Structure formats: C-alpha cells, structure tokens
Amino acid sequence: MSTSTITLEMKKITIEFPGVKALDNVDFTTETGTTHALIGANGAGKSTLMKVLSGAYNHYTGDIFMNGETVNIRSPKDAQEHGVQIVYQEVDTALVPYLSVGENIMLNETVNDMGKSQFIKWRNIHQRAADILKSMNVNISTKKLVSELTLAEKQMILIARAISKQCRFLILDEPTAPLSHTETEELFRIVRDLKEKNVGVIFISHRLPELFSICDDITIMRNGKFINKEKIKDTTQNRVVEQMLGKKLEEQFPKYQIDIGETILEVKGLHDSDKVKNMNLHVRAGEIIGVAGLVGAGKTEFCKAIFGSSKITSGDILIKGKSQKVKNPHDAVKKGLALVPEERRKEGILVSESVATNLTVAQLSSFCKYNSFLDFRAEKKKSKEMISSLGIKTPSAETKVQNLSGGNQQKVAIGKWLITDADVYIFDEPTKGVDVGAKKDIFELIAALAKRGKAVIYASSEFPEIMGITDRIYVVYDGEVVKELPTHTTNEEEILFYSTGGK
C-alpha cells in the first residue's frame, strides 16, 4: 500500500430521486492514514454520499478529486480501480449465501479469473481467504457456507472481502451494529492496522462513543447538506448531536406513569431446536419488559420462537392465561402477537413495495370489500394517517420503502403492526442503525403502546435503552434467562455482569 498521503475531495455533490433532493451541494474531504466519522440523522444523506463515492449512484452532479486530479466514478468498478471499497450495513444483500466463506471473500477475483481461464485454483482461493481472515484474527473456516454464519460473522466476511484488494479508502456503513463488544474491539484493531498501512477509513455510525474513540475527524450532515467538519478532539458528543438535529438535545426517554394490569403473555420452560433453552418470563398489560443480553445471547431466537418463526421443542406459551400453540407467524398474528424483527430489510418490510402497502399489509383483510376487492381509497387514507402520526419522512405514500432512510424504514416496520391492534408487541433491537432523533420517536411510540394497555417486550443489547424504557428486565445469557431485575433497582454494570455469565 502507498505510503504517500492521498487527499480525497468531493465538491458540490448533488443528487435527486423522485420527489426528494437527497444531496444538495455537499462537500466532503478526507485523506489516507486517517479515520473519518461521517454522521447525521437518518435521511441526512451520509449513506447516499458514500454510495456516490463507491459508484452505486451515477446520476449525480459535482466532482470527485484525488490529490487535486479529477476522477470519474460512475460505477463500482470505477471506484475499485481508484482504491475505494465499501462495506454496506445490510450484509445479506452483499453476500451469496450458497457459496463458501472463501468464495465470498475472493468473489471479485474469482469472477476475474474465470474471464481469463477455464480453470479456478480453488486451493489458492481458500488459502488467500484464510490468510486474510488470519490477519484479521477471525477464526472461521473458509469452507463453511455463508448461509450458516451469524450476522456478526457475515459482517467480518464483508470486511475481509473489502481489504482483499489494494484499498486506499474503506467505507464502513454502520459496521458495529451486528457485532458484540469483543467483535467490535477486533474491528477497531483492524481499522487501526489499516490506518497504519495508510488506508483512509470512513466510518458511518450512530454510536457516538465509538466514533469518538476510533476517529480523527468528523463531518456532520443534515437534510442532505454539509453542516460542519472538525477534529474529534476539538468537539463534544452533545455538540455533534445538536449539529445533527439542528436543535438542543431533549430528554430521550419519555416519562410516563401507567397502571400495570393482568398478565397478557407468559412463557414457561421454552426450548427451541437451536439456541433457546428453558426460557421463563411474563409480561403484563401496560408493562414494558426488557430482554437484555449481548449479541448472540439468544434474544432474537427467543423472539422468533414466541412468534412462531422457529420450532419450539418444549415449553408453554400462555396468552391471557390460556395455553396456546403458535404454529407460525400468521397464527401468531391471529393470537394477538406482533414482532418488529432485528433485520428489518430482510424480515420486517417489503423493500420494493410502497410505504402504503407496507403499512397496511398486516391487516389487508380490513381494507377488502366483499372479501376480495381491495379498497385502495381506504388503504391510502389509513396509510396517510399513519405516516402523519408516526412522523414518517417520505415524499408520498406511494414512495418505495427502499428509498427511505433507516429510521423511517423502522417506523414503517412498527407502523404496520399498530393497525393490527395486537395485544403483545415484541421489539427486537428496534433502534439498530437509527439516529438519536428517530430513536426518541420510537421510544415515544413504544410508551404510547404501553399507555394503551399493550404488553411490550423490548429485546436489546443496548443497555442504556433497556434502562431508560423498561419496567422490569430479564437478562439472557447463552439462550437462558439468568436473572430478573426491577429496572429502578439495577444499573448497567449489574446487567453486564449477568449478561457475561456472572453468578
């Protein structure tokens, strides 16, 4: 890798999509050998700007320079030829699940080799992939299928692919969202190592403490415009948040007083065929309970088991005191359960459909006339009401969900269940990849559900959120509830103690 510093400049970058100006004359400057934070509220344009730099969008105006010379980046191939690599937040869209780890890491090289020769040297492919993983201190077999990996492991495979080629600038879009604390520290070690090798790392994240620990510079965006650039050492987290939002940061967690009612959902001795073992908990009307644990503890598996997405091998689910067999998600919805899943783009929304379709899909029968014809007028009216009440930022109800920011996609994922009027709402990592402004909106939505007498399960590895929003906490370790704690008598240190196996 080159030892001389290369300066990257993006000047007056503007891009429009139907009904929205995503970037408006944005400037961005960084250089190799530095780690640069790019931050802004959901919809600020930071991911869009990096998609321009990485060649995903070609219909922009403005110029890109390297060391003062104009470079033409209009495709991913152009970007890679100039040493720009990107690792996207949504890992499953960038990996081939039925190929091995080694094949995925060396995918670009394999395609190029196929163009030159009829034969692929598989041993070389796997050896080179194994060397990259070893340099990252990641212990995954290159022969393993990607479909068998955890979310965290998939993230590491994408980073390995990105650094498999000569790389001047590496863009990481929310890279730590699926990673455990240990895996995050490992990623930071890799980032520091790349910085020493004169690679410029551009870090998109909503986790300010991480940015302040790993980055040298920070650029702040708001509503598609450049706001400020400065050294991390010269600013504070509160100041950054205020520049992101354009206003003072208010109290994040809503204050509410709710009368707790009868037990709505009780889970006894629940086991699934994989991770969940002997799970016990209950949640009452008007109550928000936390399911706290580190990444990989079994929170997601537990949420899916309750919702009928995975097979339960033993145990009981009681809804309003009656034992229920939840056969599948459709059955769960009929029994009054709703799940907002962790991987929203893969499981929570229909990305290529409109906002209106997504908001009404879980309760489509209520918009049908004569049991067969969809009343489009009623559907559109209801979706507009939901867009307004949830504060979803979208040009129209007909906009495709894939064109919304992460925070607004999450509001859509939540909104579709509000129409169904379920009894139990299960939220699995609902604020992942969501900015502080949208987080506050989501907390308000959850508190409003509790006020309406709904039972809420809030599963998260973000312990400050668990502490801020819940009434009681169940700590999960290795697929099992190891401790029940009243929120008002505990702290983050105690939750961490039990979530790491403390007795």
Side-chain angles (χ1 to χ4, degrees), residues 306-454:
I306 298 174
F307 195 63
S309 293
S310 61
K311 187 178 179 182
I312 295 171
T313 55
S314 64
D316 288 310
I317 296 174
L318 289 85
I319 301 173
K320 295 183 179 178
K322 292 183 179 180
S323 182
Q324 301 281 358
K325 296 289 183 189
V326 183
K327 304 183 188 103
N328 51 48
H330 181 259
D331 193 35
V333 174
K334 289 201 316 189
K335 288 181 166 72
L337 304 179
L339 170 66
V340 178
E342 177 183 17
E343 295 187 68
R344 59 176 169 260
R345 285 182 68 90
K346 187 179 175 186
E347 300 171 340
I349 50 176
L350 304 167
V351 291
S352 59
E353 297 293 338
S354 70
V355 174
T357 298
N358 273 274
L359 285 171
T360 57
V361 69
Q363 195 67 6
L364 209 55
S365 60
S366 66
F367 298 100
C368 288
K369 287 181 175 179
Y370 316 115
N371 296 323
S372 56
F373 296 102
L374 184 62
D375 185 344
F376 289 104
R377 184 177 294 177
E379 181 194 33
K380 192 170 184 179
K381 182 184 176 186
K382 188 62 180 180
S383 64
K384 282 185 174 180
E385 287 174 10
M386 295 302 297
I387 289 166
S388 176
S389 66
L390 296 173
I392 298 169
K393 291 180 181 175
T394 176
S396 78
E398 302 310 313
T399 300
K400 288 187 177 181
V401 171
Q402 66 191 14
N403 293 330
L404 302 186
S405 67
N408 286 301
Q409 287 179 2
Q410 188 68 314
K411 287 181 185 179
V412 171
I414 295 169
K416 76 175 184 185
W417 292 118
L418 300 186
I419 295 176
T420 67
D421 197 36
D423 295 313
V424 181
Y425 287 83
I426 306 163
F427 294 88
D428 185 12
E429 299 286 1
T431 63
K432 190 170 94 174
V434 171
D435 72 77
V436 288
K439 277 183 184 181
K440 188 174 185 297
D441 292 341
I442 289 169
F443 296 144
E444 294 280 2
L445 286 172
I446 291 170
L449 287 171
K451 284 180 186 175
R452 285 166 51 195
K454 307 301 181 183

Side-chain angles (χ1 to χ4, degrees), residues 147-439:
S147 59
E148 298 170 4
L149 301 182
T150 66
L151 204 58
E153 288 171 333
K154 290 174 184 176
Q155 180 74 68
M156 289 300 187
I157 299 312
L158 275 182
I159 293 168
R161 181 199 289 173
I163 65 174
S164 68
K165 296 173 70 72
Q166 284 292 97
C167 182
R168 289 172 168 176
F169 294 96
L170 176 65
I171 305 161
L172 300 175
D173 189 357
E174 293 285 355
T176 62
L179 305 186
S180 69
H181 178 74
T182 304
E183 290 160 339
T184 296
E185 286 301 314
E186 204 54 54
L187 171 65
F188 285 0
R189 180 192 64 78
I190 294 162
V191 168
R192 291 185 185 104
D193 187 45
L194 289 170
K195 182 180 163 183
E196 288 296 312
K197 294 174 180 174
N198 202 37
V199 174
V201 180
I202 302 168
F203 217 105
I204 302 174
S205 177
H206 293 299
R207 294 177 171 178
L208 285 172
E210 291 180 355
L211 296 178
F212 272 70
S213 72
I214 193 72
C215 293
D216 305 302
D217 305 304
I218 187 165
T219 292
I220 300 153
M221 294 180 66
R222 185 170 72 243
N223 296 333
K225 295 181 180 180
F226 168 85
I227 298 299
N228 191 28
K229 179 198 171 186
E230 56 190 329
K231 295 284 183 188
I232 284 280
K233 63 182 175 62
D234 295 333
T235 189
T236 65
Q237 293 185 34
N238 276 357
R239 184 176 161 193
V240 167
V241 170
E242 287 170 10
Q243 289 175 328
M244 280 170 56
L245 301 178
K247 60 184 178 182
K248 292 279 184 184
L249 180 62
E250 301 166 4
E251 176 62 41
Q252 209 172 12
F253 300 106
K255 301 296 181 190
Y256 58 91
Q257 189 66 45
I258 298 167
D259 293 327
I260 305 298
E262 63 177 1
T263 298
I264 301 294
L265 175 74
E266 189 171 4
V267 176
K268 294 181 177 179
L270 196 71
H271 291 73
D272 73 357
S273 55
D274 180 28
K275 187 83 177 178
V276 179
K277 49 193 180 187
N278 197 32
M279 281 282 228
N280 296 278
L281 61 72
H282 70 276
V283 56
R284 295 167 292 185
E287 186 179 35
I288 303 173
I289 65 156
V291 177
L294 301 177
V295 172
K299 303 183 303 299
T300 293
E301 291 81 359
F302 171 65
C303 293
K304 287 184 174 181
I306 298 174
F307 195 63
S309 293
S310 61
K311 187 178 179 182
I312 295 171
T313 55
S314 64
D316 288 310
I317 296 174
L318 289 85
I319 301 173
K320 295 183 179 178
K322 292 183 179 180
S323 182
Q324 301 281 358
K325 296 289 183 189
V326 183
K327 304 183 188 103
N328 51 48
H330 181 259
D331 193 35
V333 174
K334 289 201 316 189
K335 288 181 166 72
L337 304 179
L339 170 66
V340 178
E342 177 183 17
E343 295 187 68
R344 59 176 169 260
R345 285 182 68 90
K346 187 179 175 186
E347 300 171 340
I349 50 176
L350 304 167
V351 291
S352 59
E353 297 293 338
S354 70
V355 174
T357 298
N358 273 274
L359 285 171
T360 57
V361 69
Q363 195 67 6
L364 209 55
S365 60
S366 66
F367 298 100
C368 288
K369 287 181 175 179
Y370 316 115
N371 296 323
S372 56
F373 296 102
L374 184 62
D375 185 344
F376 289 104
R377 184 177 294 177
E379 181 194 33
K380 192 170 184 179
K381 182 184 176 186
K382 188 62 180 180
S383 64
K384 282 185 174 180
E385 287 174 10
M386 295 302 297
I387 289 166
S388 176
S389 66
L390 296 173
I392 298 169
K393 291 180 181 175
T394 176
S396 78
E398 302 310 313
T399 300
K400 288 187 177 181
V401 171
Q402 66 191 14
N403 293 330
L404 302 186
S405 67
N408 286 301
Q409 287 179 2
Q410 188 68 314
K411 287 181 185 179
V412 171
I414 295 169
K416 76 175 184 185
W417 292 118
L418 300 186
I419 295 176
T420 67
D421 197 36
D423 295 313
V424 181
Y425 287 83
I426 306 163
F427 294 88
D428 185 12
E429 299 286 1
T431 63
K432 190 170 94 174
V434 171
D435 72 77
V436 288
K439 277 183 184 181

